[in-house]
Amino acid sequence: MGTVTIVPPGGRERRGQGRPHPKGRRVDPEVLARVRAILGDRPRTPDLLIEHLHRLQDRFGHLSAAHLAALAEEMRLAQAEVFEVATFYAHFDVLREGEDPPPPLTLRVCDSIACALEGSERLRAELAATLDPRTVRVLRAPCMGACDRAPAGMLGHRLLAPLTRERAHRAVAECASEAEIPAAQDLPAYRAEGGFRQLSALRAAQEREAAVARVLDELDRAGLRGLGGAGFPTARKWRIVRSFPGPRELCVNADEGEPGTFKDGWHLARHPYRFLEGVLIAGEVVEAERMWIYLRDEYPHIRLLLERAIRELESEGLVAPGRLLLRRGAGAYICGEESALIESIEGKRGLPRHRPPYVAERGLFGRPTLVNNVETLCWVPVILEKGGEWFAAQGRRGAKGLRSFSVSGRVREPGVKIAPAGITLRELVDEYCGGMAPGHELFAYLPGGASGGILPARLADLPLDFGTLEPYGCFIGSHAVVVLSHRDDLRAVARNLMAFFADESCGQCTPCRVGTEKALALMRRPRWDGALLRELAQAMRDASICGLGQAAPNPLESLFRHFPELFAAEELPRRAEA
């Protein structure tokens, strides 16, 4: 081949043999060999990018530029694509050029609302000052799903809840950073109580369409709704997905990250096979080619449990190998939004999609996709066993069914409470939580987690169900109830919640990305500009792409609406100045 002449635009001619290597960072052969050894014989398909990033992160404790370049080479992806995915998710420690690797241990201390009420920020500062920085780094982190045992922390993959200074020091000294499989109901015990009987009956039915229709009708009679927050009727969603031509997919949203929400983790840790039967029944009804469980990375103990359970189901012939797949989140709250979750399963950044089309028509890999929450699927075998009418009759005040309330905050006995739909906050606290904690009086409560708004004690007799709280500017969402007392500063609570949304915004749309940061800055001022904050909140609600930006102002708006006395003293001088 002859000499190549290269003339840059507007530049002088230079002669040479062309570029000696492709553009981008050079791949280190030794690092590439290590990456290949870690991945082993696993496929290199693009949807496994996040899974492979986890393997490298677990092995090295960080991700260097050399690691990312080697992984891109091995997976035949652009280095920019690998870098943007790795830097999107909070649990990947991507080193900058020249940056030293982190210490061998990382202790994350939760700073979300339930833990903040129990002094987690003060505890984090104490631990950062007393632990050896050469051995462990101490970071703040969002909700870990242990709100009933606040304050919570994670040392590596081990949950420490409640977290104390002594417990943290002991765990660091012992390098106790690996998760343990929880003691859950096993497969023989579940089968002994009738487990998988409903799945077997559905599969054995000679009239397949009639059997599917009976399942859907039973769910209709039960009034079962999506319990991840939206409350969409379950049977109707299944019918919509079935109406689109296959092949179809099923995704389970096990990425609960809403501060105050921990019910899905509770169900998974205690009744994994009931949940898995619900998944398989849903998969049979919508004829899903594959079923994907997207589990939040803050639940490593549950991941170990589900991995073992899935292997058992495969060995028992209850599901074909490779049809039921477990995928690991990476610390992005936005992936609780169904289209962002699908993007993440495909190995991409968790950015919500524009709609239409909706995921029921074009979801995972462009196929019609059913997305359901963990608790919703846990109730499916129970409803089919006991009947839809039985389930519906469990509610109060005209509401249907049972709900798993995640209760935290100023109550004597926090935890997951299986209670009737339509119960009031006062009844929930008195009948299921042992009343208020000693020395605390009910002052306010969050009925639906961080995004569900804040209600005053005078509204503690409202039924807690879909559609009952909206007239008061709130919603039940994922049934995450955080109880506040007269000792709590509601403005500090609202700031904590807005800080969470500012951290967790995916950044795709300006109203959410800029709006949450601007709102937080305004809320950190000694005096709140109510008119400006309301205008900003309206812009976020009207123009944000997904529910994160649309719901982020709810706690702020709740204070203006239900607690005007908090602002009366500072509004008077402003009016006088005007």
Side-chain angles (χ1 to χ4, degrees):
M1 182 176 179
T3 302
V4 178
T5 301
I6 303 175
V7 182
R12 295 183 301 171
E13 177 182 303
R14 60 184 175 89
R15 305 185 66 83
Q17 297 299 318
R19 187 179 297 279
H21 55 78
K23 293 178 67 176
R25 182 176 296 277
R26 300 288 296 274
V27 177
D28 186 321
E30 293 184 5
V31 176
L32 179 60
R34 289 199 294 271
V35 168
R36 284 174 174 167
I38 292 170
L39 300 188
D41 59 358
R42 298 177 178 88
R44 270 56 167 175
T45 53
D47 61 288
L48 288 172
L49 173 57
I50 294 173
E51 293 293 302
H52 293 340
L53 286 169
H54 273 303
R55 290 188 176 90
L56 299 185
Q57 172 82 31
D58 290 345
R59 171 62 180 82
F60 298 111
H62 63 278
L63 296 171
S64 68
H67 294 142
L68 299 182
L71 183 61
E73 174 73 14
E74 183 64 10
M75 297 188 69
R76 299 295 186 263
L77 297 172
Q79 290 188 22
E81 183 175 356
V82 174
F83 182 83
E84 72 177 8
V85 171
T87 53
F88 179 84
Y89 293 94
H91 289 186
F92 296 136
D93 290 315
V94 180
L95 302 186
R96 297 185 179 184
E97 192 71 34
E99 186 177 3
D100 293 331
L105 295 174
T106 296
L107 174 63
R108 291 181 167 86
V109 181
C110 177
D111 67 353
S112 291
I113 185 59
C115 291
L117 294 175
E118 296 297 332
S120 62
E121 179 57 33
R122 182 177 64 254
L123 177 60
R124 186 191 64 80
E126 290 178 1
L127 292 172
T130 56
L131 290 168
D132 186 351
R134 296 169 298 180
T135 302
V136 58
R137 58 176 174 166
V138 181
L139 304 177
R140 54 181 288 270
C143 185
M144 300 172 182
C147 314
D148 55 333
R149 293 165 284 164
M154 289 196 76
L155 182 66
H157 293 159
R158 181 180 292 272
L159 176 66
L160 303 176
L163 178 67
T164 64
R165 176 174 171 175
E166 294 73 21
R167 188 175 187 184
H169 278 266
R170 184 168 61 252
V172 168
E174 298 171 354
C175 292
S177 59
E178 294 303 318
E180 295 181 345
I181 300 179
Q185 183 185 41
D186 60 21
L187 181 55
Y190 183 60
R191 280 190 143 165
E193 64 179 32
F196 293 105
R197 183 163 52 197
Q198 299 302 320
L199 174 66
S200 299
L202 178 59
R203 287 176 171 174
Q206 294 183 348
E207 297 293 334
R208 176 76 177 192
E209 289 303 312
V212 167
R214 284 194 296 271
V215 169
L216 294 172
D217 290 345
E218 211 65 58
L219 298 183
D220 272 334
R221 280 190 285 272
L224 183 64
R225 306 177 71 160
L227 298 172
F232 195 84
T234 301
R236 189 191 306 175
K237 178 183 280 192
W238 292 15
R239 289 189 181 100
I240 291 172
V241 174
R242 279 174 54 84
S243 71
F244 295 107
R248 307 181 188 96
E249 305 283 346
L250 185 155
C251 295
V252 180
N253 186 347
D255 193 53
E256 62 176 356
E258 182 95 356
T261 308
F262 48 94
K263 63 185 178 65
D264 288 348
W266 184 91
H267 280 287
L268 292 171
R270 287 160 178 78
H271 304 288
Y273 295 99
R274 180 194 300 169
F275 158 71
L276 290 172
E277 183 177 11
V279 174
L280 295 178
I281 290 172
E284 291 291 322
V285 170
V286 302
E287 298 176 343
E289 184 172 287
R290 289 163 300 187
M291 294 156 283
W292 310 74
I293 303 170
Y294 188 87
L295 180 69
R296 68 181 310 209
D297 198 34
E298 287 84 352
Y299 291 165
H301 55 299
I302 295 173
R303 175 164 46 85
L304 297 176
L305 176 64
L306 289 178
E307 286 174 347
R308 184 180 68 184
I310 292 171
R311 288 194 299 268
E312 286 184 288
L313 297 190
E314 291 175 346
S315 65
E316 293 282 330
L318 289 166
V319 64
R323 191 176 175 217
L324 183 56
L325 301 159
L326 182 61
R327 287 295 170 86
R328 182 176 169 186
Y333 166 71
I334 191 62
C335 290
E337 196 276 337
E338 62 179 8
S339 64
L341 178 150
I342 286 172
E343 289 285 297
S344 191
I345 291 177
E346 292 181 355
K348 306 171 187 174
R349 293 175 295 167
L351 300 179
R353 297 177 179 177
H354 294 269
R355 308 175 203 190
Y358 293 90
V359 302
E361 178 183 2
R362 192 180 305 163
L364 187 62
F365 306 122
R367 296 176 169 183
T369 302
L370 173 65
V371 181
N372 269 144
N373 159 263
V374 168
E375 186 192 355
T376 303
L377 295 170
C378 284
W379 286 122
V380 169
V382 178
I383 289 170
L384 298 182
E385 184 72 28
K386 297 188 175 184
E389 292 182 359
W390 169 87
F391 185 78
Q394 304 305 307
R396 295 183 184 178
R397 299 177 180 87
K400 293 183 177 181
L402 294 167
R403 300 282 190 272
S404 304
F405 291 90
S406 306
V407 185
S408 61
R410 308 304 192 182
V411 295
R412 190 183 297 270
E413 300 169 7
V416 172
K417 311 298 178 180
I418 309 298
I423 195 172
T424 69
L425 184 280
R426 202 179 307 279
E427 291 170 342
L428 184 64
V429 170
D430 292 342
E431 297 177 26
Y432 290 84
C433 303
M436 294 293 292
H440 291 273
E441 299 174 6
L442 178 63
F443 182 63
Y445 65 102
L446 282 67
S451 58
I454 305 174
L455 290 173
R458 67 177 180 275
L459 296 179
D461 295 313
L462 291 173
L464 298 175
D465 197 22
F466 298 106
T468 61
L469 307 179
E470 282 77 357
Y472 303 91
C474 295
F475 57 81
I476 192 65
S478 60
H479 294 72
V481 177
V482 183
V483 180
L484 305 171
S485 83
H486 65 293
R487 296 185 177 184
D488 296 317
D489 179 351
L490 292 191
R491 299 218 291 190
V493 169
R495 277 195 300 270
N496 178 281
L497 301 176
M498 188 60 74
F500 170 80
F501 290 121
D503 282 344
E504 295 296 334
S505 174
C506 73
Q508 180 179 192
C509 69
T510 303
C512 177
R513 181 185 67 250
V514 177
T516 51
E517 291 185 356
K518 180 64 174 177
L520 181 59
L522 292 172
M523 293 167 71
R524 283 174 172 161
R525 294 179 179 178
R527 176 180 292 172
W528 288 12
D529 187 330
L532 183 57
L533 281 167
R534 288 189 181 96
E535 181 181 356
L536 180 58
Q538 190 64 49
M540 292 170 64
R541 278 197 301 270
D542 291 344
S544 294
I545 290 174
C546 78
L548 192 155
Q550 295 163 10
N554 285 346
L556 168 64
E557 289 277 59
S558 296
L559 296 195
F560 286 127
R561 180 172 186 171
H562 298 297
F563 303 92
E565 67 276 8
L566 297 179
F567 310 99
E570 62 189 40
E571 290 295 334
L572 289 174
R574 291 175 62 83
R575 284 195 292 269
E577 292 167 6

